[in-house]
Amino acid sequence: MLWGGRFTGGQDPLMMELNQSISLDKAFYKQDIAGSIAWAKANHKAGNLSEDELQKIIAGLQEVEREWAEKTFQINKETDEDIHTANERRLSELIGKEVGGKLHTGRSRNEQVAADMRLWLVEQLRQIASWVEDLIKVITQRAEIEIEVCMPGYTHLQRAQPVRWSHWLCSFGNAFASDLERLREVIKRVNRSPLGCGALAGNPFGIDRDFMAKELGFEGLLMNSMAAVGDRKFVLEFLQWAVDLMGNISRMSQDLIIYSTAEFGFVKLADAYSTGSSLMPQKKNPDSLELLRGKSGTIIGQMVGLTCTINSLPTTYNKDLQESLKPMLEGVETVSLSVRILCGVISTLTIHPTNMLKALTPDMLATDLADHLVRKKVPFRETHHISGRVVALAEEKQVPMDKLSHEDLQGVDGRFGEDFEFDFEKSVELRSAKGGTSKASVREQIELLKSMVTS
Ligand code: ARG
């Protein structure tokens, strides 16, 4: 046992189970070994290890890494409390305690675990960022190809105004683009080195922290040793980011679930992302999207749980911090899976433009009718009222609004000209200010999104 000197009695087996984290942190075996090699090099530079000792340690650590990679590493449940303990134990078995025992000089597991977690998380987040980029690419590709397609836009889930299908796609493209921007910021903050901070007070051997950080690819240092070892806000920041991302994934899923019902019939999910019913042979269910929607709830729980764990802790390291491992690992798994699934769903989706067109009703142009009078210099508040009366008249006559005669319209207000057309395409094209649903505006959005993901 690493801290055996002071202890006489053995540990209760349940206590060992509670205390261990090897079942989780073995995920960072590579990072732990890379960190130890950088640590050994820096200690050699500081005069704590001879050249020969350094080479033995490096070779031994590489051997330990090989055992993990080849799945031959034997975890000793009695001694290997966590990945740091396990790797050091095995190193000493391989190269002997005389040299192996020098590796941990001036080092604490408190700085080690924080370094491993940060290195691992940065790698994962870079991978996730590239998947979010793929998702944005798939969205913009579809938006470009299907730019002609128009559909009802909804507020309160009630038919509101016609929009381009591509405009709807780009609304989520924009949401994911801001998620991507923020992720790039998060990565910068995670990518700082705690190595050389000790248990809490710092390193007494004049170790070169900048050198170690550079060796490991960190972008900079955490500048207060007490803060550095007690900090898991970097995990929390990732989870908060993940909550937002999963929220956007969930909302897009929710729209698609609705659009895929027979009542809407706007889209059809590929078989690859659907499931059937064990009882009802006709069923094809959008389980992929429902699971993404469901996972957006699970991740909130993980984020809130870690917030509670961290918030009332005393300064520096407390074992409570070990509880940050699970939400980090699970959060990364959830996000990695969800982004890729949504990307697959979007790229394989079939759309039904005729059903979208059929769902457009003339009353969705009531605002355009009001705008028609605005262009004849009638104040909007008045035209809103007039157009509302036209809607009411059509309801009363039980005809669609575009089937009212010119005389009907004139009867409501004499200023109606013959030049108003119930034309959805025209309505969409009128929304040509930046960010609107006209073809040119949507194209501009697409170009902007593309510029964010072509590096
Ligand atoms: N497994 C521990 C964790 O994940 C490593 C740090 C242990 N430090 C200590 N002082 N007991 O937090």
Side-chain angles (χ1 to χ4, degrees):
M1 203 161 279
L2 281 185
W3 25 262
R6 190 185 188 283
F7 288 75
T8 46
Q11 221 176 35
D12 182 297
L14 271 182
M15 172 56 194
M16 282 165 83
E17 184 49 33
L18 175 74
N19 198 34
Q20 69 83 26
S21 58
I22 185 84
S23 56
L24 300 170
D25 53 29
K26 63 182 179 200
F28 324 135
Y29 77 86
K30 256 191 214 152
Q31 287 74 15
D32 194 70
I33 284 166
S36 284
I37 290 177
W39 183 260
K41 286 183 182 169
N43 268 275
H44 171 246
K45 251 182 114 213
N48 293 332
L49 292 174
S50 70
E51 178 62 30
D52 182 53
E53 288 169 333
L54 172 66
Q55 293 313 327
K56 278 200 178 109
I57 287 176
I58 292 177
L61 286 168
Q62 284 168 343
E63 180 55 28
V64 178
E65 184 172 357
R66 203 167 306 128
E67 290 183 4
W68 279 111
E70 288 166 4
K71 298 194 176 16
T72 56
F73 189 100
Q74 297 287 331
I75 294 172
N76 180 339
K77 283 203 162 176
E78 297 296 310
T79 58
D80 298 348
E81 182 185 315
D82 52 30
I83 187 67
H84 330 294
T85 324
N87 283 342
E88 198 185 324
R89 187 261 309 154
R90 185 68 187 132
L91 174 71
S92 284
E93 280 172 12
L94 289 168
I95 66 168
K97 280 199 174 114
E98 198 56 39
V99 178
K102 289 190 174 178
L103 172 64
H104 210 56
T105 307
R107 184 170 69 168
S108 162
R109 280 184 297 157
N110 298 353
E111 58 189 309
Q112 211 179 342
V113 64
D116 291 3
M117 288 172 80
R118 283 173 182 271
L119 285 172
W120 182 86
L121 190 56
V122 164
E123 199 179 311
Q124 300 296 317
L125 293 184
R126 285 192 176 134
Q127 176 67 73
I128 289 170
S130 87
W131 286 327
V132 175
E133 287 179 16
D134 290 346
L135 177 60
I136 295 171
K137 280 182 202 158
V138 162
I139 287 175
T140 53
Q141 274 161 15
R142 279 210 92 121
E144 254 178 334
I145 297 168
E146 293 163 347
I147 197 152
E148 300 295 336
V149 177
C150 289
M151 64 182 250
Y154 298 84
T155 61
H156 312 264
L157 220 51
Q158 306 287 323
R159 287 171 180 166
Q161 289 180 329
V163 291
R164 293 195 179 280
W165 155 251
S166 298
H167 196 48
W168 176 85
L169 279 171
C170 284
S171 74
F172 286 101
N174 272 272
F176 294 127
S178 67
D179 287 334
L180 181 61
E181 261 174 346
R182 282 181 306 119
L183 177 58
R184 289 171 177 165
E185 284 291 315
V186 173
I187 291 174
K188 278 192 216 157
R189 278 188 289 279
V190 179
N191 202 14
R192 306 234 180 284
S193 174
L195 277 189
C197 285
L200 76 161
N203 184 283
F205 294 106
I207 203 146
D208 187 344
R209 293 192 60 202
D210 293 299
F211 165 79
M212 285 191 291
K214 225 169 151 203
E215 282 281 302
L216 293 166
F218 280 117
E219 270 178 61
L221 301 181
L222 293 163
M223 283 310 288
N224 178 288
S225 62
M226 293 174 84
V229 297
D231 175 38
R232 291 296 181 275
K233 282 274 160 85
F234 67 96
V235 180
L236 196 53
E237 199 182 354
F238 154 62
L239 288 171
Q240 288 161 345
W241 174 83
V243 165
D244 283 344
L245 173 87
M246 291 302 296
N248 288 328
I249 288 180
S250 171
R251 291 187 77 176
M252 191 175 202
S253 301
Q254 168 67 355
D255 274 11
L256 288 172
I257 290 168
I258 295 171
Y259 295 167
S260 71
T261 57
E263 285 72 11
F264 276 76
F266 292 178
V267 302
K268 197 171 131 216
L269 249 65
D271 284 354
Y273 299 100
S274 312
T275 60
S277 157
S278 58
L279 176 70
M280 299 166 281
Q282 86 283 11
K283 287 298 286 288
K284 193 170 143 188
N285 299 324
D287 288 28
S288 52
L289 296 170
E290 290 168 355
L291 284 163
L292 299 187
R293 192 175 57 186
K295 284 180 190 298
S296 75
T298 310
I299 200 123
I300 292 174
Q302 286 160 337
M303 185 275 284
V304 173
L306 184 61
T307 306
C308 298
T309 300
I310 291 174
N311 269 0
S312 49
L313 290 183
T315 336
T316 80
Y317 184 82
N318 300 270
K319 199 60 175 267
D320 318 42
L321 293 179
Q322 187 167 285
E323 288 295 302
S324 60
L325 292 172
K326 206 170 186 176
M328 179 175 81
L329 290 163
E330 287 181 356
V332 162
E333 194 184 310
T334 300
V335 168
S336 301
L337 196 60
S338 303
V339 174
R340 283 180 295 164
I341 291 282
L342 186 61
C343 195
V345 169
I346 304 291
S347 62
T348 56
L349 205 64
T350 312
I351 63 164
H352 297 302
T354 39
N355 288 346
M356 293 182 184
L357 218 52
K358 259 193 262 160
L360 288 168
T361 48
D363 59 322
M364 294 181 71
L365 299 178
T367 315
D368 296 74
L369 189 66
D371 292 348
H372 164 78
L373 289 180
V374 166
R375 292 195 169 85
K376 296 186 186 298
K377 308 295 174 214
V378 186
F380 176 71
R381 274 291 152 239
E382 210 182 310
T383 67
H384 183 282
H385 197 77
I386 296 165
S387 180
R389 279 167 48 214
V390 175
V391 175
L393 181 65
E395 258 175 32
E396 196 184 300
K397 293 199 158 194
Q398 295 189 348
V399 292
M401 248 171 88
D402 62 337
K403 294 289 176 282
L404 288 172
S405 66
H406 182 56
E407 289 66 40
D408 287 333
L409 291 183
Q410 289 266 317
V412 175
D413 194 287
R415 286 165 293 186
F416 274 120
E418 298 230 34
D419 50 340
F420 182 78
E421 292 170 81
F422 282 90
D423 184 334
F424 300 116
E425 177 76 20
K426 201 167 165 188
S427 161
V428 161
E429 279 310 278
L430 275 170
R431 269 83 189 163
S432 60
K434 275 180 195 291
T437 194
S438 79
K439 207 178 281 183
S441 306
V442 173
R443 286 222 170 97
E444 190 183 12
Q445 297 173 46
I446 294 173
E447 288 315 311
L448 259 166
L449 289 173
K450 275 165 59 177
S451 72
M452 274 198 72
V453 293
T454 43
S455 39

